Amino acid sequence: MKLTRTARLGALAASAALVLTACSSSDDGDAAADGGGETGDLKVWFMDGSVPDEAQDWLVDEFEAQNEGSTLTIEIQQWDGIVEKIQTAMASESQTPDIVEVGNTQSPTYTAVGAFTDVTDKVDAWGGDDLIQSFIDVGSVDDKVYTVPFYAGSRIFYYNTETFEKAGVEPPTSLDDFTEVVSTLTEANPDDVEDFKGAYIAGVDQHTLEAWLYTHGGQYAVQEGDQWVGNLSSAESMEAIDQVAELYEAGVLGAEDSVDAAQEPWNDFNEGRVAMFSGLTWSFPNIAEDLRENDKVGVFAVPGLEDGSLGKTFAGGSNLGIAAKSQNKDLAASVMDLLYSDDFQIMMAQNGWVPGNTTFADAQGTADNAALLAEVAANSQLTPPAQYWALVEGENLDKDFWKAIARGDDPAEVVESTDARMEELLNK
């Protein structure tokens, strides 16, 4: 039912002309500063699969009831080719949607060139501190907020409780413990399965492996002045990278797996070849029925460095913004008010997402572990908020980096070449 979402959360701007200077607006960008009057015909772009039909219907009906004489049209967009489509539409006052959903790591590409309106003064009304902070960070420039969190998909580990019990282990409570648990499971192989491994993490599943990087305090790149500098060679990053290399040696399956295989990480788990796997919110329905119905599936979050602490994971998802060239900014702000209302946030949660306002995460209809998912999203970290980060993803530099580490390439050599290429791409 939701098999395409994993790809969608990770496929953020595979190719695009990323210089969006045509989107720059001549106004000062203040929210609702030059709205088009008391009535208008508004257009919202949502991405395919993001918003359930009943929530779309509710939004249109509620907006038009509250704003007599105005209309709201929702247009569903496909992720494939969306960067180019947004680039073209948002450069034109006559073509631009009023509100646009963008992938969270796409946000810096647009905010840096003035494509969205400054909504800093609206953030408190839309959730304030309860909004996913990492999403706020990538939607901000110079302490001004331009895009806000729409929803997130939290990464957690699903594990076979019976296999863990037979091997005499509990879910790990620190990253060091994680490696030990994987090693113990692999060596124990309690059901005598051929080529059994403790865990499944595809080498190209960069967003799972980034949890080690972020938890250790590392990052792909950091900004120094007006330049981005590769940070994988930092002491914090290298500690994480070395630990990931040790993890695969301890017993992780998937180092050489394809992107397609990474999108269905439950397959080896269902066949009993691994004891756990990293998955998103909607992975649970894809787990084998006998495991689910016999209470053999448990969950845990990536732990932190200290025993009992929570690690920092990447949270895929989307942000929302009001187009800088919208002629109906006052009304667009009213639509945003509805999007962050209790009713709409609950509907998003019931669709299986961690909503932008994590207060409503416990309304998730597809996950019994809603509180854990919300905690993971609230503690998440994203890729660098660099204008040209989409070039990194488009070149698969991040995926290729982790795949090389997973298959056992020399970390120092891989880091040196990746840092150099990262700087070339981010400092265009």
Side-chain angles (χ1 to χ4, degrees), residues 2-8 10-11 200 202 204-205 257-267 277-280 282-283 286 399:
K2 298 178 180 175
L3 298 183
T4 62
R5 286 186 174 177
T6 303
R8 190 172 69 246
Y200 177 86
V204 292
D205 183 7
D257 275 9
S258 66
V259 172
D260 286 342
Q263 291 172 15
E264 298 184 0
W266 47 80
N267 287 337
F277 71 93
S278 170
L280 286 153
W282 49 87
S283 295
N286 295 285
K399 284 185 172 65

Side-chain angles (χ1 to χ4, degrees), residues 82-97:
I82 189 58
V83 173
E84 297 93 329
K85 189 170 185 178
I86 289 177
Q87 173 189 340
T88 300
M90 293 186 72
S92 168
E93 291 183 357
S94 62
Q95 295 183 41
T96 185

Side-chain angles (χ1 to χ4, degrees), residues 394-412:
E395 194 172 288
N396 288 324
L397 185 62
D398 49 350
K399 284 185 172 65
D400 291 344
F401 169 76
W402 289 111
K403 185 174 182 177
I405 298 300
R407 71 187 175 209
D409 290 6
D410 180 66

Side-chain angles (χ1 to χ4, degrees), residues 142-358:
D142 296 332
D143 297 323
K144 293 184 177 181
V145 182
Y146 294 89
T147 65
V148 287
F150 192 22
Y151 61 81
S154 297
R155 283 170 171 77
I156 56 176
F157 273 84
Y158 295 83
Y159 71 99
N160 187 312
T161 57
E162 187 175 67
T163 303
F164 268 53
E165 183 178 356
K166 289 179 180 179
V169 297
E170 298 286 340
T173 57
S174 70
L175 284 184
D176 284 339
D177 190 27
F178 198 110
T179 303
E180 292 180 12
V181 168
V182 167
S183 178
T184 300
L185 286 163
T186 303
E187 292 176 5
N189 187 8
D191 294 314
D192 196 26
V193 177
E194 186 177 358
D195 297 324
F196 177 82
K197 299 290 185 181
Y200 177 86
I201 309 173
V204 292
D205 183 7
Q206 80 276 28
H207 291 322
T208 288
L209 297 171
E210 283 163 2
W212 275 257
L213 181 67
Y214 299 154
T215 299
H216 276 276
Q219 182 54 282
Y220 288 107
V222 295
Q223 193 167 20
E224 295 182 3
D226 60 354
Q227 293 290 300
W228 285 93
V229 178
N231 189 247
L232 292 173
S233 58
S234 70
E236 296 84 358
S237 295
M238 286 304 301
E239 286 180 3
I241 292 162
D242 288 342
Q243 193 169 49
V244 168
E246 292 171 1
L247 184 65
Y248 277 86
E249 291 178 1
V252 173
L253 184 66
E256 296 277 7
D257 275 9
S258 66
V259 172
D260 286 342
Q263 291 172 15
E264 298 184 0
W266 47 80
N267 287 337
D268 288 291
F269 182 79
N270 289 343
E271 296 297 325
R273 288 188 289 271
V274 297
M276 58 179 158
F277 71 93
S278 170
L280 286 153
T281 311
W282 49 87
S283 295
F284 185 75
N286 295 285
I287 293 174
E289 187 176 345
D290 66 304
L291 295 175
R292 288 184 285 114
E293 293 188 350
N294 291 300
D295 296 324
K296 294 182 180 180
V297 182
V299 297
F300 66 88
V302 174
L305 299 181
E306 301 298 326
D307 190 55
S309 63
L310 182 65
K312 286 186 171 293
T313 60
F314 177 91
S318 288
N319 277 19
L320 289 172
I322 297 174
K325 289 187 176 293
S326 168
Q327 299 303 292
N328 300 286
K329 290 181 182 175
D330 285 322
L331 288 171
S334 296
V335 175
M336 294 286 282
D337 289 341
L338 291 172
L339 288 168
Y340 289 92
S341 68
D342 294 7
D343 288 340
F344 194 88
Q345 290 288 295
I346 288 171
M347 282 186 279
M348 289 297 288
Q350 290 173 338
N351 194 43
W353 298 118
V354 175
N357 186 336
T358 59

Side-chain angles (χ1 to χ4, degrees), residues 19-26 86-92 110 113-116 324-325:
V19 182
L20 306 178
T21 52
C23 290
S24 299
S25 176
S26 60
I86 289 177
Q87 173 189 340
T88 300
M90 293 186 72
S92 168
Y110 302 111
V113 296
F116 287 108
K325 289 187 176 293

Side-chain angles (χ1 to χ4, degrees), residues 48-106:
D48 183 37
S50 294
V51 184
D53 292 344
E54 59 270 23
Q56 294 180 41
D57 293 341
W58 179 90
L59 182 64
V60 171
D61 293 344
E62 198 71 17
F63 173 78
E64 293 182 353
Q66 293 183 15
N67 298 274
E68 187 175 353
S70 294
T71 64
L72 178 64
T73 301
I74 294 173
E75 296 183 356
I76 303 301
Q77 307 298 323
Q78 302 300 314
W79 285 101
D80 187 27
I82 189 58
V83 173
E84 297 93 329
K85 189 170 185 178
I86 289 177
Q87 173 189 340
T88 300
M90 293 186 72
S92 168
E93 291 183 357
S94 62
Q95 295 183 41
T96 185
D98 298 281
I99 294 173
V100 183
E101 174 190 346
V102 294
N104 53 5
T105 61
Q106 291 175 343

